[in-house]
Amino acid sequence: EKGGFDHFMLKEIYEQPRSIRDCMRGRINCEQGKIALGGIKEYAEKLKNVERIIIVACGTSWHAGLTGEYLIEEYSRIPVEVEYASEFRYRNPIITEKDVVVAISQSGETADTMAAIEIAKEKGATIFGICNVVGASIPRITHAGVYTHAGPEIGVASTKAFTAQVTVLTLMALYIAQQKGTLTTSKLTSLLTELNGIPEKIQAVLATNELIKNIAEKVKDSRNCLFLGRGSGFPVALEGALKLKEISYIHAEGYPAAEMKHGPIALIDKEMPVVFIATKNSSYEKVVSNIQEVKARKGIVIAIVTSGDREVEKMVDYCIEIPDADEAFLPLLATIPLQLLAYHIAVMRGCNVDQPRNLAKSVTVE
Ligand code: F6R
């Protein structure tokens, strides 16, 4: 049942080229630059005029929500707020019938996310779900939704469900842009063509597995670890830190790279691994200078870079190359090595990667 892999988590990490392909199937037409999302098509008009989108979720799904904020704001120019469902539900949130609330949940059973949906529904908002488990509770209480179609996820740590959520959010952002006309057909065509090529690029990232295993061997005894990224690399940093802490029990924190100097920099010494998302995009130069600041304090730097980058390679301890891609698609690629890094470290530390202590696959209590 593990398909020759030692753990479900590794199997599910390796399934991502296929799960993302399944998620896009029948939804994109690259030649015509068109997106079809059957589940929400009745709301196409609503989306065209919506003034605000609120995303609610927990854990890894909340991280997917942050990538959604970046994508939707970038392409459809609609303001997005991303809320922890648990905070949203207890805050007397300001919601009106004009709002669209998007609830993201792999299991479709998370108690806090369900409660957030009920509150938003009472206030008259339109609720969309992004769920993986077909027929779960959340898809039944939302007005409409888009399934991620990642297939069953057995490992408690979310991997392929996360990348499928990000894929759906990308499709949703482009779908809204298509309705609103904020992107030209030629731009849509080129973005969809690139999105369509992402599964193949993930295959190339998976080929770095042995290298990542070697890096894991070097840092597996660390007590703490920092993950830093900017822009669309920031949610990736949060997700990398969550994966590491939940399955290896190493204390890990994700931060926007520029926040480093407002506190976390005090932690850096020769024992501290710092993982940077340092791909060639709009914030590259700034991230490079953050790397220099960490090296000046003798931190151990692991950098996720765009293939062919020799500049960062010279500065850091370990480099993991990923294929070049539009900044919007960075989370789909840069998350993969962080999943593998967490996995190998946890295995080397003798942890139960598929069922980490104290965690359950679906959190049906608040
Ligand atoms: C982390 C993880 C959790 C879930 C969270 C929400 O790997 O799996 O943080 O993401 O419990 O669960 P869902 O998406 O089922 O609502």
Side-chain angles (χ1 to χ4, degrees):
E1 61 198 3
K2 290 186 199 135
F5 290 95
D6 290 343
H7 299 93
F8 284 109
M9 182 179 176
L10 190 61
K11 170 176 176 264
E12 289 160 3
I13 291 173
Y14 270 81
E15 271 172 5
Q16 289 173 108
R18 187 195 54 72
S19 53
I20 291 177
R21 179 118 359 261
D22 288 346
C23 177
M24 295 191 290
R25 181 162 298 119
R27 292 172 170 168
I28 65 172
N29 182 328
C30 300
E31 292 77 37
Q32 293 178 10
K34 283 221 167 81
I35 306 115
L37 291 174
I40 58 170
K41 73 167 188 283
E42 281 173 53
Y43 292 87
E45 206 53 36
K46 171 102 194 170
L47 283 170
K48 205 167 162 178
N49 302 307
V50 67
E51 285 167 21
R52 181 173 74 142
I53 293 175
I54 304 167
I55 298 178
V56 294
C58 305
T60 286
S61 298
W62 183 79
H63 296 156
L66 291 179
T67 72
E69 174 179 31
Y70 178 95
L71 291 159
I72 295 168
E73 292 194 343
E74 176 74 12
Y75 293 130
S76 57
R77 308 305 296 155
I78 296 170
V80 178
E81 284 168 34
V82 188
E83 304 260 6
Y84 283 115
S86 57
E87 287 296 314
F88 181 83
R89 65 181 287 197
Y90 287 116
R91 218 194 35 231
N92 191 14
I94 301 162
I95 315 164
T96 72
E97 47 302 336
K98 287 206 264 173
D99 293 321
V100 167
V101 171
V102 179
I104 309 173
S105 176
Q106 187 286 130
S107 62
E109 302 294 346
T110 302
D112 281 320
T113 309
M114 287 185 68
I117 291 170
E118 296 293 2
I119 288 169
K121 235 175 144 178
E122 270 164 35
K123 304 210 180 204
T126 300
I127 324 286
F128 293 164
I130 298 178
C131 294
N132 193 43
V133 177
V134 176
S137 303
I138 290 177
R140 284 189 270 123
I141 61 170
T142 49
H143 295 113
V146 181
Y147 280 114
T148 44
H149 295 310
E153 191 178 63
I154 311 292
V156 163
S158 184
T159 52
K160 65 173 179 171
F162 172 78
T163 48
Q165 288 164 341
V166 175
T167 304
V168 166
L169 287 158
T170 308
L171 295 174
M172 234 184 221
L174 297 177
Y175 181 75
I176 303 170
Q178 171 180 283
Q179 307 310 320
K180 287 188 66 179
T182 44
L183 288 179
T184 61
T185 307
S186 78
K187 180 72 183 165
L188 272 169
T189 305
S190 78
L191 285 168
L192 287 177
T193 305
E194 185 160 359
L195 183 61
N196 196 42
I198 290 290
E200 213 168 299
K201 290 185 179 176
I202 291 181
Q203 208 67 57
V205 179
L206 290 170
T208 61
N209 184 45
E210 280 307 309
L211 164 72
I212 295 172
K213 205 166 161 181
N214 292 336
I215 300 171
E217 185 62 50
K218 300 285 187 342
V219 297
K220 68 177 195 312
D221 297 318
S222 306
R223 300 196 50 208
N224 299 287
C225 189
L226 266 183
F227 289 77
L228 303 174
R230 297 179 80 118
S232 66
F234 166 51
V236 175
L238 292 178
E239 177 59 7
L242 179 61
K243 282 301 86 109
L244 184 65
K245 81 180 94 175
E246 69 181 330
I247 63 168
S248 77
Y249 317 138
I250 293 173
H251 171 235
E253 299 284 349
Y255 271 96
E259 277 292 306
M260 183 179 82
K261 57 173 72 63
H262 301 286
I265 198 165
L267 292 167
I268 293 165
D269 63 11
K270 63 180 183 357
E271 318 255 281
M272 179 69 135
V274 184
V275 180
F276 276 97
I277 318 303
T279 48
K280 287 234 161 97
N281 54 41
S282 59
S283 47
Y284 176 73
E285 301 298 335
K286 302 220 178 277
V287 172
V288 168
S289 72
N290 293 139
I291 291 176
Q292 285 163 333
E293 286 156 7
V294 171
K295 280 319 297 175
R297 288 159 185 86
K298 310 240 170 356
I300 305 158
V301 175
I302 301 167
I304 312 291
V305 301
T306 304
S307 55
D309 186 332
R310 299 283 88 90
E311 186 185 348
V312 170
E313 190 183 36
K314 281 184 261 158
M315 281 183 252
V316 302
D317 300 82
Y318 309 103
C319 232
I320 302 164
E321 298 190 19
I322 64 172
D324 194 17
D326 190 284
E327 196 159 347
F329 304 129
L330 171 68
L332 290 172
L333 299 178
T335 303
I336 313 290
L338 306 188
Q339 295 170 343
L340 286 168
L341 185 67
Y343 170 79
H344 288 300
I345 291 175
V347 170
M348 287 167 189
R349 289 166 69 96
C351 301
N352 184 348
V353 289
D354 282 336
Q355 281 184 295
R357 66 187 184 203
N358 310 337
L359 289 172
K361 186 67 187 160
S362 53
V363 183
T364 52
V365 291
E366 69 169 287

